[in-house]
Amino acid sequence: MAIKDRRAANWALTAYPWTAAQAVRKVTETVRAWGYEHPKDDVLEQTVRLLVDAATADEGRRISVHLADQNGMLLAVVLSHTHTGPDETVLTNLAAVPGTASCGTDTSDEGRRVWAVLSTERPRTTAA
């Protein structure tokens, strides 16, 4: 997977039950190191866990977690490195995460990709 002209980080991880916790820690540390205060830690955790859980459900031996930023948005992508058909049920859960601008899943030569784009802007509060 190629990400060009923006800050990016990626990690190759073994698909174990605890891999989601590793990925959450790595993504959160990187997002904070890049200077972003938003999304909050719980939103990052929820998003990364959904992405990683979807990829590990494909029953491959490894996954790749990719993170990039551009224009006030964060892109988080997880590849399962298997050619399992896309499971669209994860999209409903990803779309429900606060600050999700878009999400998707597809299959490439590298395997199944599941991704989400998150806003880094402070959430708006609604007046009562």
Side-chain angles (χ1 to χ4, degrees):
M1 180 170 168
I3 298 174
K4 298 179 182 180
D5 301 326
R6 60 184 97 174
R7 282 188 292 196
N10 60 67
W11 304 272
L13 303 171
T14 305
Y16 291 124
W18 56 85
T19 300
Q22 284 181 313
V24 166
R25 187 180 78 255
K26 291 175 183 298
V27 167
T28 302
E29 287 172 357
T30 302
V31 168
R32 298 301 171 240
W34 288 348
Y36 292 113
E37 294 180 19
H38 295 281
K40 291 295 187 188
D41 290 357
D42 61 328
V43 171
L44 287 171
E45 179 175 359
Q46 186 178 5
T47 301
V48 173
R49 284 189 180 277
L50 286 167
L51 294 170
V52 169
D53 289 349
T56 57
D58 291 347
E59 299 181 2
R61 291 182 157 200
R62 64 188 178 100
I63 64 168
S64 298
V65 178
H66 300 264
L67 182 68
D69 75 331
Q70 184 175 9
N71 299 329
M73 304 293 265
L74 292 171
L75 169 65
V77 181
V78 179
L79 283 90
S80 67
H81 299 284
T82 65
H83 291 285
T84 302
D87 174 8
E88 305 295 330
T89 60
V90 70
L91 298 181
T92 302
N93 294 330
L94 283 169
V97 175
T100 299
S102 63
C103 58
T105 182
D106 61 24
T107 303
S108 74
D109 292 341
E110 299 171 15
R112 183 164 86 108
R113 291 185 291 228
V114 184
W115 54 269
V117 176
L118 298 172
S119 173
T120 60
E121 294 181 13
R122 177 180 302 277
R124 296 178 189 213
T125 57
T126 56

